[in-house]
Amino acid sequence: MPKTLPLIIFFGIIFGILLHRTPFGRRTLAIGQSAEAAKFAGINVVRHKMIVFTFTGFMSGVAGVIYTFRFSTAQADNGIGLELLVISACLLGGVSIFGGIGTMWGVVAGVLLASSVESWLTLQEINAQWRTIVTGILLLISVAAPVMVDKYKRARATSANKA
C-alpha cells in the first residue's frame, strides 16, 4: 500500500463531507447547475467561484507534492498525458461535463475504474498509444452514455404523454 494512500483517503473524506453535507457544497452544485439561478438565490457567485478555484489550486499543489515524493522527481512535465485519464475518471464517476451534477463517491469509483483499466493495460504490455485510445473511448462513452439515456427518457416521456 502506498504511503500516500491515507492522505488521499483523508482528503477524499474531507471534501466528500464538504461537498455533500455543507451549505458550501450545495452552493457549489447550485452554481454548477445555473450560475444565474444561483445569483438570484442570493449566492455571491464570483466570491464562491474564487474560493472553489483557490481550493482547486491548493489541492493541485498538494497533489504535486505527493507526486514528487512518490516518484522522487520534480520535473515540470511530470503530469503530461494524465489529463485525459483524469477527465475520463471524473466523467466515468458521474460528473456531468455540463456542470452541477456529480458526487465525490462517484468520482472515487470512476478513479478506481479508470486506474484499474490503465493498470491492466500496462500489465498486458499494451503500447502507450493504445492505452490512450482506450482512455479516449472510455471518455467518449462516459460523455455520450448520459446524453443518450437522457434523450431516451425524454422520448419515452413524450410518447407516454401523447398516449
Side-chain angles (χ1 to χ4, degrees):
M1 177 168 86
K3 294 177 184 177
T4 56
L5 189 59
L7 189 61
I8 294 168
I9 291 171
F10 170 76
F11 279 120
I13 290 171
I14 292 298
F15 282 106
I17 291 169
L18 182 69
L19 181 64
H20 297 294
R21 301 280 186 230
T22 65
F24 179 84
R26 286 189 287 278
R27 279 185 241 135
T28 303
L29 291 174
I31 291 170
Q33 283 283 331
S34 172
E36 188 175 345
K39 183 179 175 183
F40 285 127
I43 299 171
N44 186 342
V45 175
V46 173
R47 184 174 140 254
H48 192 85
K49 281 185 176 182
M50 188 65 87
I51 293 169
V52 170
F53 286 135
T54 302
F55 270 142
T56 303
F58 172 73
M59 289 311 298
S60 296
V62 169
V65 169
I66 290 171
Y67 192 92
T68 301
F69 284 158
R70 179 147 183 202
F71 295 106
S72 300
T73 180
Q75 296 176 340
D77 62 350
N78 273 346
I80 290 186
L82 294 177
E83 304 90 352
L84 184 64
L85 185 62
V86 170
I87 293 169
S88 297
C90 289
L91 293 176
L92 279 171
V95 174
S96 172
I97 199 163
F98 306 110
I101 298 172
T103 65
M104 185 68 182
W105 318 119
V107 170
V108 169
V111 167
L112 291 174
L113 176 64
S115 61
S116 296
V117 169
E118 184 75 16
S119 295
W120 182 79
L121 291 172
T122 303
L123 287 174
Q124 299 301 318
E125 298 180 7
I126 304 293
N127 186 336
Q129 291 172 334
W130 284 103
R131 288 197 310 259
T132 303
I133 290 170
V134 169
T135 304
I137 290 170
L138 285 175
L139 178 62
L140 287 173
I141 290 170
S142 61
V143 170
V147 172
M148 300 294 277
V149 168
D150 188 48
K151 283 186 178 186
Y152 173 75
K153 285 181 181 178
R154 288 183 187 192
R156 188 170 172 162
T158 304
S159 66
N161 289 339
K162 289 181 181 179

